[in-house]
Amino acid sequence: MARVYERWERLVRAALDRERLRVAAGATHGIGGSEAAGLAGAVPPSLGKTTNIDRILHAADEIENEDPNVARILCEHAYSRAQNLDPSSEGRGVLQFKTGLASLIKQKLARKDGSAFDRQNDIERLWKFYLGYKNRYQIDDIQKERQKLRESGTFSTNFAEMEARAVEMRKVYAILRTLVDVLEALVGDSAADGIGRLIMEEVKKMKKSDATLGGELTPYNIVPLDAPSFGNAIGFFPEVKAAISSIGYTSEFPRPPVDFEVPQFRKFDMFDLLEYVFGFQKDNVRNQRENVVLAIANAQSRLGLPIEAEPKIDEKTISELFKKVLGNYIKWCKYLGVRVAWNSLEAINRNRKVILISLYFLIWGEAANVRFLPECICYIFHHMAKELDAILDQPEPAHAGSCTGGDGTVSFLAEIVTPIYETMAAEVPVNNNAAHSSWRNYDDFNEYFWSSSCFKMGWPIRKDSSFLSKPRKWHRTGKCDFVEHRTFLHLYRSFHRLWIFLILMFQGLTIIAFRKGTIDLNTFKTVLSVGPVFFIMNFLESTLDIILMFGAYKTARGFAISRLIIRFLWFGIISASTMYLYLKLMEERNKRNSDSTYFRIYVLVLGVYVAIRTLFALLVKIPACHRVSDASDRWSFFQFFKWIYQERYFVGRGLYEKTSDYARYVLFWLVIFACKFTFAYFLQIKPLVSPTNIIIDLRELQYSWHNLVSRGNINALTILSLWAPFVAVNLSDVHKYIWYALLYALIGGLIGACARLGEIRSLDIVQKCFETFLEAFVKNLISPQAKSIPRERQQAQEPSGMNKADAAFFSPFWNEIIKSLREEDYINNREMSLLSIPSNCGSLKIVQWPLLLLCSKIFLAINLALDCKDTQADLWNRISRDEYMVYAVQECYYSVERILHSVVNDEGRLWVQRLFREINNSIYEGSLAVTISYTNLQPVLKSLVSLTGLLMQNEASHLASGVTKSLYQLYDVVTHDLLTSSLRDQFDTWSILARARNEGRLFSRIEWPNEPELKEQVKRLHLLLTAQDSAANIPKNLEARRRLQFFTNSLFMDMPSAKPVSEMIPFSVFTPYYSEIVLYSSSDLRAENEDGISTLFYLQKIFPDEWENFLERIGRPESSADALQDSSGYNLELRFWASYRGQTLARTVRGMMYYRRALMLQSYLEKRSTAGIEDGYAGADYINTQGFESSSESRAQADIKFTYVVSCQIYGQQKQKKDKEAADIALLMQRNEALRVAFIHTEENVDAEGKVSKEFYSKLVKADVHGKDQEIYSIKLPGNPKLGEGKPENQNHAIIFTRGDAIQTIDMNQDNYLEEALKMRNLLEEFYGNYGLRHPTILGVREHVFTGSVSSLAWFMSNQETSFVTLAQRVLAYPLKVRMHYGHPDVFDRIFHITRGGISKASRVINISEDIYAGMH
């Protein structure tokens, strides 16, 4: 047995060593924090849930090298805790963990010299280490400093320094807290002695100041509300401080309960009261507290009010948020004729509005699957708001009776949500393919609350109510209003209006054709035969309604059943009546002296019916009439006929547009139908009339068919075979789709042309209109506040009128775009240099453009000068034909002057000054050809290239002599070759210059260009003088060219102006993930398919230029793929490079994080542009973007406005199984601090009888200071959340963690780019655009299929998206205004949708596809 135990120990140690090596390798790859190493990352869930064993082992790992004795003490204490919790090692993984930990302790028990540790003084040794560790990092001083800052409540001027220190000190705080916990446990009952007493006093002191010391370790999502965090600037923003104060507790509410615990550094607020009254979960309260604070803060900042000394929330902010959050509830009450939970909107004050908003969000945040029932939530809120109103009027708060269980516990989840959930769960069919008609789905449950009969359930909801009745074995609870049976009869029932229209039009046109186009009274009477056909077809539809309603008669509303019966009887009677009248009409027509009585009655009946239908159509479609229709609901007479015409539902009642929009819609379809039926009449129906008549007139034809078929039928089968193809084509409505495609292509093209789409068709056009592109960028993407540059920083205007300030605004954004292209390996270093644009904030008076536009222009200008035999004006006219050649010549001239003036000193500077003074005078007088010799420009160019090539390098002693030599060479070339004889003699006879030259000190003192701006100018001049690349070939990568073309083209569209980042609409990005590839592993890249081709080899072949750029970026241009995979330093970079070219989660996360990067950049530059010289920002500082990603204020501003949540449904299971996907997701969180991962956690509990029960939690995590998952929120669910379709359920459980007013849904295989992220502010402003009667609630965003380069089929599929999707959707959006949204990457009005059931439908079976987000109701 001992041998088995020893082998098991060796196995555990080997596994631990491999784990440490894996994590250590990851930590060296720029992860930004390593995954928990060794046993610290392998604590079983059953132990880690209730103890701090993992923190103890982390601390032991951190101080192992510093004091192995202390590390041993910590490991032993961790082992004792694990042994006490689970002495028999019954939990999953506990035995392996304890065995490994015991083995680790044995290794630590021996010193290097082989002697054993002395365990008698463990407490004293640990205490001394604690004191020394605390003094080393000056913890007491930091506590005092932060206490003063918190008491002052002001934003520190050196906040960036404090934040950097806070990040460094987080690990120190974590270790100190762990040491104190271990000391307290070790002292135990022996605290009366000297050291024990000191330790307990320190424990008390630590707990008293725990918020000051441990605030950095308290988990929070975005805003640290429970404890102050000095590493986060959000809490110092005035709008956030005002929002926090707005949810504070006031004297108008009952006295706070004495027994309610509140964190030390947070006061009792409204959310604490709601938690006490209704028993909401603490993490739900924490989550929604932050949600409401950010919602109020962002709404306040959008008003753009001036900042006050004590910021307060404006009344308008609360009122607008109140109406938006509770808008659906107010409409629901109005629909049911029920009074809202408050007397009137004017009667409730601001505090009551805030607490009602908070109550609604708390109900929604804990409702779990009930969130798919928005009107059910309205019902719950309605009664809970009334309960709250009664409690607020009491002097002391009390627990709500609806949420109090039989044992006295208060739980909203157990008493309200769980019964509803259990009822829905009981309806879920065991067979996924079960008929929809056999069980109730989410829509059926929600429709129950569309009738005032729902109030019969009472409050709290009666357990015996029909709503909570669960299906029995042979008895299912019926539907509410609609049952979908699987039958082909739906082909007629669902599209009966279309069938009726097509058949009636075909009937009418055929009658006219057989009447030879003659329109007279007889023809009119014949055409009136469409009347009986119309009513009979409607009668068939009403009959199908009755048949297919089977399964809902017991639970359906009485009004719904009555309507079915009334419609059935009505159409039955009217069908028989009109048929009888029409037959009598036809008999009258055959009589000669008839008085046409039946004809008049028939026309009167049809006319009255058409008039009534037209009236109700106007009441429904025309806005003015619709308001009259709503007012007429008070009279039962009108309500009855409206109800007969159209069933009254809660949803869809407001689906009407302006009269002008409706007229455009009607006109569009009138044109299509006119073309369709004109084509059908003249080219299909009319040509068949004559052959049909001929065939009918043929008698006694002998058929080879059976006599029963062929005799006495006037050749009916022949006629049928003749007309059958056309009838089939007409009923399939093929014509309409052809004419629709032609018309939408025409209108869509015209709309696109008016919107200036497609003007930029190549990179050549981008280069030609770069000036206009710059102006469009500044106009659309720079906020008006940022454009107001202080007067001290405004540069002189160029003679041509180009605003140099615009170029200064544009350059940092453009350079970041180019930098992102380089980071993605679409361009190489040289292309990056040619595409970048200077800051345009220097001393040069001209606008500096990207060298891409100026390539080879100097050489062309020199060639023009060499060929020039005329005056200076003629030469300049030739150069001016190319505007970028003008810019190149001017920049070259001014740059040479400035560089030479900065580099040389004394007599050399005098030479430079006089030289350029003479040349400037010659240019001014127009006598440049007399001053210099054009034929000798080439030697000057070579000398300048030699000089700049040396100056662009870092300063070194061996280069100084080379620079001096190059300057002398330039002096000789310019003085003796370039200048004409008169000027040459003047310089040669200048005594000061001649003496310095003879003494060898003309260029002896060199000032190296070390200033960033001057150094950049030297490099740029060198490239300008040497680059001969063709602009048409830069960049070479097709994807980089496409992106630059698309971005340039989009800026010429009509778009809303950009708000400042502080005033923009906040938004979230939401990505559902299940088990797809997160990051390619080394084995994935090496694995070969059946053809022997590996993934990495394939990627190298289809992206050859990007592979070369990648090798250049990492500094290994000659390395092979195998060498990189074997190198621990570059293996991770290689994995990311490959993953960014596949459909992986890593690619999606990188793309979405561009939103945060763009917001940080925009916020940083806006702060710099509006700060001014008086705030310490110089002109050059304004365009310096080197530190924008580390700016604490910019990061905080971006975090307020942007949230990214990835809903990794089975991430908890993947972590338990140690799947590679879990490690890769953790790696993504470590590399992206703003990334949040939501997942469903399952816990198994075993009761005394051995029965296993499962509990489900919705969790949100981020990466902590150790690179480990830090749990932010853990909200218990009533049960397994997957009752319906997987993806919508995955989204639903995690949507509570999103923030902001908008939410963009992104699929797992989608990407984003920095240049597109810069336009997000503009896109979000479309929510407030004027597009009719209502603001839009969904913004459609086009999708680029990035897999088009994989194969020819993929290329075709990606290109068809432009014509068959984008073009069609453009017409559906305008002028038709009937666009349906697929879901991703569309942007939703978040508050609108979460209060109406979410962004996707989860009902199983009935939905077309779980991937369709927004196609609902």
Side-chain angles (χ1 to χ4, degrees):
M1 188 67 182
R3 181 178 300 176
V4 173
Y5 185 78
E6 182 180 353
R7 289 180 178 176
W8 174 251
E9 279 194 33
R10 286 204 302 268
L11 181 62
V12 172
R13 281 199 297 270
L16 291 175
D17 291 341
R18 286 196 300 270
E19 178 71 12
R20 289 194 191 93
L21 289 175
R22 183 186 67 81
V23 175
T28 60
H29 295 158
I31 298 176
S34 60
E35 181 69 33
L39 287 169
V43 180
S46 59
L47 298 179
K49 180 180 178 181
T50 57
T51 66
N52 61 346
I53 294 178
D54 54 344
R55 288 198 290 114
I56 295 174
L57 294 177
H58 265 300
D61 289 339
E62 292 289 335
I63 61 179
E64 169 70 28
N65 296 329
E66 191 171 350
D67 194 331
N69 202 353
V70 174
R72 185 265 309 168
I73 297 172
L74 295 179
C75 290
E76 288 181 343
H77 181 71
Y79 183 85
S80 65
R81 285 201 172 187
Q83 184 66 20
N84 292 335
L85 281 174
D86 194 354
S88 57
S89 302
E90 294 180 352
R92 178 184 294 178
V94 175
L95 178 61
Q96 296 90 330
F97 170 75
K98 288 165 64 175
T99 305
L101 184 55
S103 175
L104 194 63
I105 293 172
K106 287 182 180 180
Q107 296 177 12
K108 295 179 182 294
L109 282 175
R111 293 182 181 271
K112 292 182 179 180
D113 55 3
S115 60
F117 280 123
D118 182 8
R119 299 176 119 161
Q120 300 299 321
N121 299 317
D122 281 354
I123 297 178
E124 183 178 356
R125 184 178 293 109
L126 189 60
W127 171 246
K128 288 182 179 179
F129 178 83
Y130 168 80
L131 292 178
Y133 198 81
K134 184 177 180 181
N135 293 331
R136 187 189 319 156
Y137 290 99
Q138 302 176 350
I139 299 300
D140 293 333
D141 296 338
I142 294 176
Q143 285 179 309
K144 293 177 182 178
E145 178 184 356
R146 296 190 172 182
Q147 182 68 25
K148 291 180 181 178
L149 184 61
R150 184 174 59 253
E151 292 174 354
S152 65
T154 57
F155 189 86
S156 176
T157 55
N158 61 341
F159 186 86
E161 179 183 350
M162 180 174 290
E163 182 195 20
R165 191 175 181 187
V167 174
E168 177 187 357
M169 297 299 290
R170 282 175 186 166
K171 290 185 179 181
V172 178
Y173 293 158
I175 293 174
L176 284 174
R177 177 183 284 182
T178 303
L179 293 175
V180 168
D181 291 342
V182 175
L183 282 169
E184 182 182 12
L186 291 177
V187 169
D189 298 332
S190 61
D193 59 357
I195 294 181
R197 182 170 43 81
L198 293 176
I199 290 174
M200 295 310 297
E201 290 177 357
E202 182 66 22
V203 169
K204 293 179 181 179
K205 180 181 177 183
M206 177 73 73
K207 290 183 177 180
K208 184 178 180 181
S209 60
D210 187 60
T212 306
L213 182 65
E216 303 295 338
L217 301 176
T218 302
Y220 66 90
N221 184 22
I222 299 173
V223 185
L225 295 173
D226 291 330
S229 174
F230 296 91
N232 192 326
I234 293 179
F236 294 93
F237 282 23
E239 63 269 24
V240 175
K241 293 167 67 176
I244 294 174
S245 66
S246 69
I247 64 171
Y249 210 70
T250 62
S251 58
E252 68 179 271
F253 295 142
R255 290 189 298 271
V258 180
D259 57 342
F260 190 85
E261 295 184 3
V262 180
Q264 181 179 357
F265 288 94
R266 182 177 63 76
K267 297 179 180 179
F268 190 86
D269 60 17
M270 298 180 186
F271 282 89
D272 294 318
L273 175 66
L274 294 173
E275 178 186 350
Y276 176 81
V277 171
F278 296 108
F280 292 111
Q281 298 179 53
K282 285 190 175 295
D283 276 4
N284 176 40
V285 173
R286 290 178 56 237
N287 180 34
Q288 297 307 325
R289 177 185 286 115
E290 181 185 84
N291 182 29
V292 172
V293 165
L294 286 176
I296 295 175
N298 283 309
Q300 175 72 11
S301 64
R302 188 160 177 81
L303 297 179
L305 299 176
I307 300 176
E308 302 176 358
E310 294 184 2
K312 296 181 180 179
I313 296 299
D314 190 77
E315 186 69 32
K316 180 181 178 182
T317 299
I318 301 299
S319 297
E320 289 182 353
L321 186 61
F322 181 84
K323 293 177 183 177
K324 192 167 187 179
V325 173
L326 299 179
N328 190 53
Y329 165 72
I330 295 172
K331 292 180 179 178
W332 178 76
C333 290
K334 182 180 178 181
Y335 174 78
L336 296 182
V338 178
R339 186 177 179 180
V340 293
W342 53 88
N343 294 329
S344 66
L345 194 60
E346 295 75 15
I348 56 175
N349 59 23
R350 188 181 71 173
N351 293 327
R352 289 292 180 109
K353 292 178 182 177
V354 173
I355 201 169
L356 287 173
I357 293 171
S358 305
L359 175 62
Y360 185 90
F361 274 120
L362 286 171
I363 295 171
W364 173 79
E366 203 164 327
N369 299 70
V370 184
R371 280 191 288 272
F372 287 116
L373 317 180
E375 281 67 63
C376 179
I377 291 182
C378 290
Y379 180 86
I380 296 172
F381 171 80
H382 179 76
H383 291 282
M384 292 180 67
K386 286 187 174 182
E387 282 187 289
L388 177 65
D389 186 63
I391 292 173
L392 292 181
D393 293 335
Q394 304 299 322
E396 293 184 359
H399 297 306
S402 61
C403 299
T404 304
D407 57 353
T409 58
V410 185
S411 174
F412 170 76
L413 178 70
E415 301 301 324
I416 305 297
V417 177
T418 302
I420 302 175
Y421 168 83
E422 290 175 348
T423 305
M424 293 190 297
E427 289 282 355
V428 175
V430 178
N431 181 9
N432 290 338
N433 296 321
H436 166 68
S437 58
S438 64
W439 60 287
R440 288 185 294 175
N441 58 33
Y442 288 119
D443 298 311
D444 297 316
F445 281 103
N446 189 52
E447 288 172 11
Y448 184 85
F449 297 92
W450 291 358
S451 170
S452 57
S453 60
C454 66
F455 286 94
K456 295 179 181 178
M457 295 190 304
W459 187 259
I461 300 177
R462 293 184 293 104
K463 306 299 182 183
D464 59 345
S465 67
S466 60
F467 177 76
L468 295 181
S469 61
K470 298 178 182 178
R472 295 183 292 274
K473 185 174 182 180
W474 299 106
H475 176 73
R476 287 266 176 183
T477 305
K479 301 281 188 170
C480 291
D481 293 303
F482 174 76
V483 185
E484 181 176 329
H485 295 276
R486 292 176 178 173
T487 171
F488 285 103
L489 295 175
H490 280 297
L491 288 174
Y492 180 78
R493 184 198 185 197
S494 300
F495 304 101
H496 69 279
R497 293 183 180 88
L498 178 61
W499 293 114
I500 292 173
F501 176 72
L502 293 176
I503 290 175
L504 294 185
M505 288 299 300
F506 173 71
Q507 180 182 350
L509 292 175
T510 304
I511 292 172
I512 295 173
F514 274 96
R515 299 287 297 179
K516 299 181 179 180
T518 303
I519 307 297
D520 53 16
L521 183 60
N522 288 330
T523 303
F524 179 66
K525 290 181 179 181
T526 308
V527 171
L528 287 179
S529 62
V530 299
V533 176
F534 170 80
F535 289 114
I536 291 172
M537 295 186 73
N538 275 285
F539 175 72
L540 292 176
E541 187 270 333
S542 62
T543 304
L544 290 177
D545 283 344
I546 292 178
I547 296 173
L548 298 178
M549 188 68 176
F550 178 77
Y553 286 111
K554 290 184 178 181
T555 54
R557 293 175 295 167
F559 279 113
I561 299 175
S562 301
R563 182 176 182 271
L564 290 179
I565 297 174
I566 291 174
R567 290 184 77 250
F568 174 78
L569 295 176
W570 160 253
F571 282 116
I573 294 171
I574 195 67
S575 299
S577 301
T578 53
M579 177 61 71
Y580 173 77
L581 289 174
Y582 186 73
L583 292 175
K584 289 296 184 179
L585 183 153
M586 297 305 293
E587 290 179 3
E588 282 184 341
R589 189 183 68 170
N590 297 328
K591 295 180 181 179
R592 293 188 174 181
N593 298 321
S594 174
D595 56 359
S596 303
T597 302
Y598 285 104
F599 173 70
R600 294 189 185 96
I601 297 174
Y602 184 79
V603 172
L604 178 63
V605 171
L606 292 184
V608 171
Y609 181 82
V610 171
I612 294 175
R613 291 291 298 244
T614 304
L615 173 63
F616 283 111
L618 292 176
L619 291 176
V620 172
K621 299 298 183 182
I622 307 301
C625 299
H626 198 280
R627 287 188 287 269
V628 175
S629 172
D630 288 341
S632 66
D633 282 346
R634 293 175 294 178
W635 296 292
S636 57
F637 175 78
F638 287 101
Q639 189 175 7
F640 174 78
F641 281 101
K642 282 175 57 181
W643 170 65
I644 291 294
Y645 173 75
Q646 183 176 344
E647 177 64 274
R648 189 168 181 257
Y649 293 111
F650 176 68
V651 297
R653 292 171 295 114
L655 293 180
Y656 61 93
E657 295 291 340
K658 292 194 303 185
T659 306
S660 57
D661 295 329
Y662 187 65
R664 277 195 296 267
Y665 176 84
V666 172
L667 179 62
F668 179 88
W669 288 110
L670 284 178
V671 172
I672 290 179
F673 286 129
C675 296
K676 166 187 167 60
F677 292 120
T678 302
F679 179 87
Y681 178 77
F682 287 103
L683 298 180
Q684 290 184 316
I685 298 177
K686 194 174 181 180
L688 292 179
V689 171
S690 179
T692 302
N693 290 328
I694 294 173
I695 294 173
I696 292 175
D697 293 337
L698 294 176
R699 302 297 180 183
E700 301 300 331
L701 291 179
Q702 296 298 322
Y703 290 95
S704 59
W705 304 334
H706 194 278
N707 292 338
L708 182 65
V709 179
S710 59
R711 283 191 175 183
N713 60 4
I714 61 170
N715 307 314
L717 291 179
T718 305
I719 296 173
L720 178 63
S721 63
L722 178 66
W723 283 82
F726 167 70
V727 174
V729 170
N730 181 69
L731 295 183
S732 63
D733 214 13
V734 174
H735 296 156
K736 184 185 71 176
Y737 294 112
I738 295 174
W739 290 108
Y740 171 76
L742 294 175
L743 190 58
Y744 92 66
L746 176 63
I747 295 178
L750 291 176
I751 294 175
C754 295
R756 305 185 67 179
L757 296 177
E759 289 188 358
I760 309 298
R761 296 179 299 277
S762 66
L763 211 60
D764 293 336
I765 303 178
V766 175
Q767 297 164 5
K768 291 178 182 178
C769 65
F770 202 84
E771 285 190 41
T772 312
F773 162 58
L774 185 151
E775 295 173 358
F777 183 97
V778 175
K779 173 188 174 184
N780 293 319
L781 300 188
I782 306 295
S783 63
Q785 289 81 347
K787 295 176 187 176
S788 55
I789 306 178
R791 186 173 300 175
E792 294 85 351
R793 279 189 279 169
Q794 290 185 357
Q795 303 292 335
Q797 302 297 309
E798 190 189 1
S800 62
M802 168 58 65
N803 191 348
K804 189 173 174 64
D806 286 350
F809 282 123
F810 172 74
S811 61
F813 293 102
W814 175 258
N815 289 339
E816 283 299 319
I817 293 172
I818 300 305
K819 180 181 176 183
S820 71
L821 289 174
R822 181 64 191 97
E823 292 171 351
E824 298 173 24
D825 297 317
Y826 289 123
I827 59 176
N828 55 34
N829 294 338
R830 180 173 177 80
E831 289 176 331
M832 179 180 176
S833 300
L834 295 176
L835 287 167
S836 299
I837 185 173
S839 62
N840 280 286
C841 286
S843 57
L844 285 182
K845 299 179 181 179
I846 61 171
V847 177
Q848 294 176 281
W849 299 102
L851 287 173
L852 165 72
L853 307 176
L854 311 181
C855 283
S856 69
K857 301 298 182 183
I858 294 298
F859 300 98
L860 295 176
I862 291 177
N863 291 334
L864 290 177
L866 292 176
D867 297 337
C868 181
K869 307 298 182 182
D870 301 322
T871 62
Q872 171 188 324
D874 295 329
L875 176 60
W876 188 247
N877 288 335
R878 294 183 183 180
I879 294 176
S880 300
R881 294 173 184 173
D882 186 342
E883 57 179 341
Y884 290 116
M885 189 182 296
V886 174
Y887 288 124
V889 171
Q890 290 177 337
E891 181 177 347
C892 181
Y893 179 78
Y894 291 127
S895 297
V896 170
E897 179 182 10
R898 189 191 173 200
I899 292 171
L900 290 178
H901 190 273
S902 302
V903 169
V904 299
N905 284 294
D906 302 331
E907 291 85 353
R909 182 169 295 178
L910 293 176
W911 170 71
V912 172
Q913 291 174 351
R914 182 172 178 181
L915 172 65
F916 281 94
R917 185 170 60 250
E918 294 291 343
I919 296 177
N920 289 336
N921 291 336
S922 300
I923 294 174
Y924 180 76
E925 296 171 357
S927 59
L928 185 63
V930 181
T931 305
I932 64 174
S933 174
Y934 295 152
T935 57
N936 294 320
L937 287 172
Q938 198 68 38
V940 177
L941 177 64
K942 293 181 180 179
S943 300
L944 287 173
V945 169
S946 175
L947 176 62
T948 54
L950 294 171
L951 292 176
M952 64 187 294
Q953 303 179 46
N954 294 328
E955 183 177 4
S957 57
H958 67 280
L959 296 177
S961 59
V963 172
T964 302
K965 182 178 179 182
S966 297
L967 285 171
Y968 273 113
Q969 181 182 0
L970 179 64
Y971 172 83
D972 290 335
V973 170
V974 170
T975 305
H976 300 112
D977 297 335
L978 181 64
L979 299 179
T980 55
S981 57
S982 58
L983 275 179
R984 184 190 314 137
D985 295 339
Q986 293 180 23
F987 279 101
D988 287 339
T989 58
W990 190 6
S991 58
I992 299 177
L993 206 63
R995 188 183 312 113
R997 178 174 174 79
N998 294 334
E999 295 176 2
R1001 54 182 176 82
L1002 180 60
F1003 301 115
S1004 58
R1005 292 182 55 196
I1006 303 298
E1007 292 289 339
W1008 207 270
N1010 291 322
E1011 296 180 6
E1013 180 187 348
L1014 188 59
K1015 195 165 187 177
E1016 176 190 358
Q1017 197 167 357
V1018 172
K1019 292 180 179 179
R1020 179 175 170 84
L1021 178 61
H1022 183 77
L1023 279 174
L1024 182 62
L1025 298 177
T1026 57
Q1028 301 186 43
D1029 304 72
S1030 174
N1033 297 326
I1034 300 174
K1036 294 182 292 185
N1037 186 272
L1038 295 179
E1039 176 64 11
R1041 298 169 73 91
R1042 184 199 66 81
R1043 283 172 52 177
L1044 292 178
Q1045 291 170 24
F1046 182 84
F1047 178 63
T1048 306
N1049 189 87
S1050 66
L1051 292 184
F1052 293 102
M1053 298 176 61
D1054 183 22
M1055 64 176 66
S1057 60
K1059 290 277 188 180
V1061 175
S1062 60
E1063 299 178 18
M1064 69 173 285
I1065 298 176
F1067 71 104
S1068 296
V1069 175
F1070 198 32
T1071 300
Y1073 167 84
Y1074 188 71
S1075 60
E1076 297 86 349
I1077 297 175
V1078 179
L1079 188 70
Y1080 287 130
S1081 64
S1082 298
S1083 58
D1084 292 335
L1085 298 179
R1086 288 177 176 174
E1088 297 180 352
N1089 60 9
E1090 61 275 8
D1091 298 324
I1093 304 298
S1094 66
T1095 301
L1096 184 58
F1097 179 81
Y1098 177 71
L1099 292 174
Q1100 287 178 268
K1101 295 305 176 184
I1102 64 174
F1103 304 114
D1105 53 339
E1106 296 173 28
W1107 173 253
E1108 294 177 0
N1109 297 339
F1110 165 69
L1111 295 178
E1112 182 185 38
R1113 177 168 59 84
I1114 65 175
R1116 300 283 295 272
E1118 303 299 330
S1119 299
S1120 63
D1122 292 336
L1124 292 179
Q1125 286 183 303
D1126 296 334
S1127 172
S1128 60
Y1130 297 103
N1131 184 39
L1132 187 63
E1133 287 291 336
L1134 178 63
R1135 290 175 59 199
F1136 271 104
W1137 181 87
S1139 301
Y1140 289 155
R1141 278 142 190 86
Q1143 297 188 35
T1144 61
L1145 181 62
R1147 179 173 188 166
T1148 302
V1149 169
R1150 181 196 65 174
M1152 297 310 110
M1153 280 303 166
Y1154 277 136
Y1155 282 129
R1156 186 171 187 260
R1157 180 174 172 181
L1159 291 177
M1160 288 192 295
L1161 176 63
Q1162 290 166 331
S1163 175
Y1164 183 82
L1165 293 178
E1166 285 176 357
K1167 173 65 178 175
R1168 288 293 178 107
S1169 65
T1170 56
I1173 300 292
E1174 63 275 7
D1175 292 328
Y1177 295 122
D1181 290 335
Y1182 164 60
I1183 51 82
N1184 182 15
T1185 60
Q1186 294 298 321
F1188 83 92
E1189 290 181 292
S1190 59
S1191 169
S1192 57
E1193 190 171 357
S1194 299
R1195 284 163 48 205
Q1197 187 70 73
D1199 289 338
I1200 290 179
K1201 300 298 180 180
F1202 168 72
T1203 307
Y1204 185 31
V1205 177
V1206 179
S1207 181
C1208 303
Q1209 183 174 347
I1210 59 172
Y1211 177 57
Q1213 301 175 26
Q1214 291 172 333
K1215 287 202 301 181
Q1216 291 179 355
K1217 297 176 182 178
K1218 303 278 184 195
D1219 290 344
K1220 65 176 183 179
E1221 288 82 6
D1224 293 337
I1225 291 173
L1227 177 60
L1228 294 181
M1229 284 193 287
Q1230 294 164 23
R1231 292 170 68 101
N1232 302 277
E1233 63 174 346
L1235 175 62
R1236 301 291 183 264
V1237 171
F1239 65 96
I1240 297 171
H1241 175 68
T1242 306
E1243 287 188 3
E1244 295 183 355
N1245 298 319
V1246 182
D1247 58 13
E1249 299 178 357
K1251 294 182 179 180
V1252 179
S1253 62
K1254 291 184 178 181
E1255 292 183 349
F1256 297 87
Y1257 294 84
S1258 181
K1259 296 193 178 229
L1260 184 73
V1261 296
K1262 67 176 181 179
D1264 65 2
V1265 293
H1266 300 291
K1268 243 189 108 178
D1269 290 355
Q1270 183 182 51
E1271 184 180 290
I1272 305 173
Y1273 306 121
S1274 178
I1275 301 174
K1276 186 178 180 181
L1277 304 175
N1280 189 343
K1282 191 178 182 303
L1283 301 182
E1285 297 290 354
K1287 182 177 286 188
E1289 298 284 15
N1290 187 15
Q1291 296 160 1
N1292 176 64
H1293 96 89
I1295 198 172
I1296 58 175
F1297 303 125
T1298 59
R1299 301 289 185 261
D1301 295 343
I1303 181 169
Q1304 185 179 29
T1305 51
I1306 295 294
D1307 207 1
M1308 207 288 300
N1309 55 2
Q1310 293 183 305
D1311 199 358
N1312 191 26
Y1313 316 119
L1314 179 62
E1315 62 271 18
E1316 298 305 309
L1318 293 173
K1319 298 183 290 187
M1320 193 62 181
R1321 292 187 297 178
N1322 308 76
L1323 174 65
L1324 293 173
E1325 289 302 314
E1326 294 284 3
F1327 278 118
Y1328 293 93
N1330 183 16
Y1331 292 100
L1333 298 177
R1334 296 166 297 275
H1335 294 305
T1337 56
I1338 306 177
L1339 303 179
V1341 182
R1342 64 160 288 177
E1343 179 180 5
H1344 168 65
V1345 183
F1346 60 74
T1347 54
S1349 59
V1350 174
S1351 65
S1352 57
L1353 178 60
W1355 174 85
F1356 173 78
M1357 295 299 293
S1358 63
N1359 281 330
Q1360 64 88 23
E1361 189 272 343
T1362 303
S1363 58
F1364 296 106
V1365 178
T1366 303
L1367 188 65
Q1369 293 285 5
R1370 188 183 305 149
V1371 176
L1372 292 176
Y1374 184 86
L1376 298 184
K1377 304 191 81 169
V1378 292
R1379 179 182 177 186
M1380 294 293 288
H1381 292 261
Y1382 175 60
H1384 50 242
D1386 295 342
V1387 184
F1388 296 78
D1389 184 330
R1390 175 175 170 267
I1391 296 180
F1392 178 89
H1393 283 87
I1394 66 176
T1395 56
R1396 289 162 176 83
I1399 58 174
S1400 55
K1401 304 296 283 185
S1403 295
R1404 190 179 296 176
V1405 178
I1406 190 173
N1407 290 93
I1408 299 174
S1409 169
E1410 67 170 2
D1411 210 32
I1412 295 179
Y1413 289 65
M1416 56 182 175
H1417 295 326

